[in-house]
Amino acid sequence: MTTVRLNRELKEKIETISQTEHITKSDVIKQALEIYFSIYYSEKTPYELGEVFFGIHGSGRKDSSTNYKEIIRKKIYEKRNH
């Protein structure tokens, strides 16, 4: 058995999840630790872990960092010729 001291904010979050999910506070903590350990011991790089979040606000072009000059030239050309 292990004892952990938590601040009020963490206690309230655990209590809220416990009530919402209808599981014990111990189970909430166990599940959170399992998620933490799966990330901590993952062999993925930081980029691979966050890859799903990258580019969600961009144009979706995968070549924009290497071909940005050409992209800008095309945009200027299109604007001038309309």
Side-chain angles (χ1 to χ4, degrees), residues 22-82:
H22 305 290
I23 58 176
T24 66
K25 290 183 273 186
S26 292
D27 285 339
V28 172
I29 294 167
K30 288 175 189 175
Q31 289 176 13
L33 286 171
E34 287 296 329
I35 292 168
Y36 176 81
F37 293 145
S38 70
I39 293 169
Y40 185 83
Y41 290 110
S42 171
E43 293 183 13
K44 292 183 178 181
T45 65
Y47 177 84
E48 291 170 331
L49 291 172
E51 189 172 17
V52 295
F53 301 108
F54 303 147
I56 59 175
H57 300 292
S59 64
R61 292 185 65 131
K62 297 192 183 287
D63 65 343
S64 60
S65 65
T66 55
N67 297 331
Y68 66 94
K69 289 181 182 178
E70 184 62 30
I71 294 168
I72 292 171
R73 276 192 209 104
K74 286 181 181 179
K75 292 283 185 186
I76 293 171
Y77 179 79
E78 289 171 3
K79 185 175 182 179
R80 288 183 180 167
N81 291 321
H82 272 6

